[in-house]
């Protein structure tokens, strides 16, 4: 099979299209023929060496990629049918590698069936951030009518949080820049707050503070006072701790949910119903052979949506 590999850390130029042995599905696994895999910030950190310590147990060639779409090639005993379209997630910092490959063997619990009508290139942009959003919302345990502050609402993760929270009946407040107001409103936010100095605007809606916060922008320590006493706050990076003794605070890692099949199937179902919207970056579809350009585009930033490698 063809796979995108790198043997040393560095810029996008270290990436190569290589021939690797076809993987085999082991016990509890399925074999997926990949249709598309996104380029995520984690992929860049794997490639540039920022995650070198997390990869010390691995030998090159390394293969990045954490989320994908495709079709089942070997269903094993999963109950899925060969040819079934699926979405899924996996941890690339293991000997099996990631999803930048034509074929991948993954735990059956890490994939979920999607409707044949779903665009698989767009579908690849959904599972990882939506799974992180579900884990975050599960921690907060908000009820219909409760209020949630989402920082970084225009980002991929913030957008997933907004859509999933709205589907659960939660009132969503999001802080965004002027150019992203229409985007975030379209994703379902009830109240759009200005990016800077939004204390007064939030207090006008929630005088005692919001019930919970999911901090996609990593500004939690600056705005945690806007969460009511006893409320919850989620940080989405292990190196960034929200320190507010009044609150229930949690750091979420998507790795803890990689085999939460109920959550992944819920994401697939919402994708199929249109309740979760795929977000491919404008001009963001790249043939896998153009992976260097795809990484360069992602590093340049400024896009609203994911760059996707098409296999």
């Amino acid at each position: 099979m063809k796979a995108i590999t790198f043997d040393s850390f560095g810029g996008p130029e270290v990436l190569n299209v290589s021939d690797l042995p076809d993987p085999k599905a082991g016990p509890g696994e399925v074999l997926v023929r990949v249709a598309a895999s996104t380029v995520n910030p984690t992929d860049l950190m794997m490639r540039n060496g920022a995650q070198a310590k997390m990869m010390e147990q691995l030998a090159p060639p390394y293969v990045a990629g954490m989320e994908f779409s495709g079709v089942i090639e070997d269903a094993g005993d999963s109950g899925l049918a060969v040819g079934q379209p699926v979405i899924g997630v996996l941890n690339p910092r293991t000997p099996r590698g990631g999803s930048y490959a034509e074929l991948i063997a993954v735990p059956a619990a890490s994939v979920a069936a999607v409707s044949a009508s779903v665009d698989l290139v767009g579908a690849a942009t959904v599972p990882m951030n939506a799974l992180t959003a579900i884990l975050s919302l599960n921690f907060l345990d908000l009820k219909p009518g409760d209020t949630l502050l989402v920082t970084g609402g225009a980002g991929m993760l913030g957008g997933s949080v907004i859509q999933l929270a709205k589907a659960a009946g939660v009132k969503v407040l999001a802080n965004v820049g002027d150019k992203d107001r229409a985007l975030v409103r379209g994703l379902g936010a009830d109240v759009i707050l200005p990016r800077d100095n939004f204390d007064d605007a939030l207090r006008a809606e929630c005088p005692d503070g919001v019930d919970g916060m999911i901090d996609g922008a990593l500004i939690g320590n600056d705005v945690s006072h806007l969460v009511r006493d006893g409320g919850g706050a989620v940080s989405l990076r292990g190196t960034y701790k929200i320190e507010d003794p009044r609150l229930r605070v949690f750091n979420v890692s998507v790795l803890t949910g990689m085999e939460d099949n109920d959550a992944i199937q819920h994401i697939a179902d919402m994708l199929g119903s249109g309740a979760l919207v795929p977000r491919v970056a404008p001009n963001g579809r790249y043939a896998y052979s153009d992976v260097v350009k795809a990484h360069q585009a992602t590093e340049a930033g400024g896009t609203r949506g994911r760059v996707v490698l098409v296999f």
Side-chain angles (χ1 to χ4, degrees):
M1 69 170 183
K2 300 295 185 184
I4 297 163
T5 67
F6 58 102
D7 295 317
S8 59
F9 302 120
E13 68 280 356
V14 303
L15 297 165
N16 297 287
V17 177
S18 304
D19 291 305
L20 294 181
D22 290 357
K24 306 282 187 191
E29 294 184 333
V30 294
L31 188 67
V32 177
R33 183 166 293 278
V34 174
S37 179
T38 60
V39 179
N40 279 288
T42 293
D43 305 336
L44 306 185
M45 291 188 286
M46 279 188 68
R47 189 213 70 224
N48 66 24
Q51 295 185 350
K53 284 194 174 295
M54 301 171 69
M55 299 165 61
E56 288 178 340
Q57 80 282 12
L58 304 179
Y62 308 112
V63 179
M66 289 191 74
E67 62 182 346
F68 59 90
S69 63
V71 296
I72 295 293
E73 187 91 352
D74 180 351
D77 59 0
S78 67
L80 295 167
V82 172
Q84 170 66 54
V86 294
I87 58 171
V89 292
L90 78 167
N91 180 2
R93 295 179 298 271
T94 67
R96 73 161 66 92
S99 56
Y100 284 14
E102 291 180 313
L103 291 167
I104 53 175
V106 296
S110 298
V111 303
V114 294
S115 166
S117 64
V118 168
D119 168 37
L120 288 180
V121 175
T125 68
V126 173
M128 189 174 74
N129 285 294
L131 182 58
T132 307
I134 286 175
L135 295 172
S136 302
L137 290 166
N138 286 349
F139 167 74
L140 292 176
D141 193 26
L142 300 174
K143 304 296 187 291
D146 284 350
T147 52
L148 172 68
L149 170 62
V150 180
T151 72
M156 290 296 291
L157 181 54
S160 294
V161 170
I162 291 169
Q163 294 174 81
L164 287 159
K166 281 300 297 176
V170 172
K171 181 178 179 179
V172 177
L173 301 87
N175 73 313
V176 296
D178 289 343
K179 67 184 177 69
D180 291 320
R181 292 175 70 89
L183 168 64
V184 172
R185 180 75 72 186
L187 291 171
D190 297 286
V191 179
I192 306 297
L193 304 169
R195 174 171 287 172
D196 300 316
N197 302 316
F198 57 84
D199 289 37
D200 291 344
L202 185 143
R203 292 290 185 189
E205 294 286 337
C206 306
D208 297 324
V210 292
D211 297 302
M213 172 179 66
I214 296 178
D215 182 28
L218 301 182
I219 59 171
N221 282 311
D222 297 320
V223 298
S224 67
H225 63 280
L226 297 173
V227 182
R228 66 168 176 80
D229 290 353
V234 174
S235 173
L236 299 167
R237 187 172 296 175
T239 55
Y240 185 88
K241 308 291 185 184
I242 298 172
E243 298 177 353
D244 189 327
R246 302 176 306 110
L247 306 180
R248 298 175 295 113
V249 176
F250 191 63
N251 283 76
V252 165
S253 169
V254 71
L255 296 179
T256 64
M258 285 283 178
E259 296 187 38
D260 185 341
N261 191 249
D262 288 342
I264 298 167
Q265 188 61 61
H266 179 57
I267 293 164
D269 293 342
M270 290 189 68
L271 177 62
S273 71
L276 274 173
V277 179
R279 294 174 63 191
V280 179
N283 303 311
R285 299 184 182 214
Y286 289 81
Y288 71 86
S289 56
D290 288 329
V291 63
V292 172
K293 293 179 181 178
H295 270 234
Q296 289 170 338
T298 303
E299 286 188 326
T303 60
R304 287 295 181 243
R306 277 283 179 259
V307 169
V308 184
L309 299 170
V310 181
F311 285 83

